[in-house]
């Protein structure tokens, strides 16, 4: 989608601090990090949010592979981390392109806000 910030990052029209990339997924550092490790895992294809993924689509499996790779790469696979997706207004989803926050590198409080 032309007017989508993350689609524009995927297209290379807006720069990002890339951590990992494959055919399906892009991972880059959050511009406003809330933890020592705070990256966004996004599908290269546009989905509005987690409810927009068809049941027979395997993108969630690709995302999970990226979680494993990036958690190891960022050194939080042993210490622990959190994966969050905000969906819709009450969750405060500000970018309408499916994304997963992977956060770690400090003790994370619970419940999340
Ligand atoms: P959410 O509130 O769950 O929609 O998360 C959107 C996230 O995108 C926020 O944590 C922002 O800091 C982050 N963000 C917004 N613009 C950019 C950008 N250009 N590059 C990296 N992260 C961004
Ligand atoms: Zn998009």
């Amino acid at each position: 989608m032309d007017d989508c910030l993350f689609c524009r990052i995927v297209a290379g029209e807006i720069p990002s601090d890339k951590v990992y990339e494959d055919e399906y997924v892009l991972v880059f550092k959050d511009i406003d990090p809330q933890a020592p490790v705070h990256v966004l895992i996004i599908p290269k294809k546009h989905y509005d949010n987690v409810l927009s993924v068809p049941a027979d689509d395997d993108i969630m499996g690709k995302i999970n592979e990226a979680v494993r790779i990036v958690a190891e790469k960022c050194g939080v696979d042993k210490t622990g981390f959190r994966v969050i997706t905000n969906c819709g207004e009450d969750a405060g989803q500000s970018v309408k392109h499916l994304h997963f926050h992977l956060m770690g590198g400090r003790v994370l409080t619970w419940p999340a806000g």
Side-chain angles (χ1 to χ4, degrees):
M1 288 167 60
D2 294 347
D3 59 345
C4 171
L5 173 65
F6 288 176
C7 281
R8 294 188 69 196
I9 285 178
V10 169
E13 294 167 15
I14 293 174
S16 67
D17 196 345
K18 275 183 207 173
V19 173
Y20 173 76
E21 181 175 18
D22 63 27
E23 190 181 343
Y24 305 98
V25 172
L26 178 65
V27 184
F28 52 94
K29 292 186 180 172
D30 196 293
I31 206 167
D32 182 22
Q34 302 301 312
V37 174
H38 186 177
V39 301
L40 300 175
I41 300 173
I42 73 169
K44 289 187 169 178
K45 183 176 168 188
H46 182 98
Y47 305 84
D48 285 349
N49 58 48
V50 73
L51 295 179
S52 310
V53 179
D56 61 350
D57 192 316
D58 67 349
I59 191 61
M60 298 301 282
K62 307 293 184 192
I63 297 278
N64 198 66
E65 281 303 298
V67 166
R68 189 193 324 282
I69 292 165
V70 169
E72 283 176 15
K73 194 167 183 178
C74 295
V76 293
D77 57 314
K78 305 281 193 303
T79 50
F81 59 92
R82 186 172 290 162
V83 178
I84 298 172
T85 189
N86 291 318
C87 179
E89 202 175 327
D90 278 1
Q93 183 183 0
S94 62
V95 179
K96 305 315 190 249
H97 179 128
L98 178 62
H99 56 280
F100 296 82
H101 299 255
L102 188 158
M103 302 169 70
R106 65 168 169 83
V107 174
L108 300 162
T109 58
W110 189 260

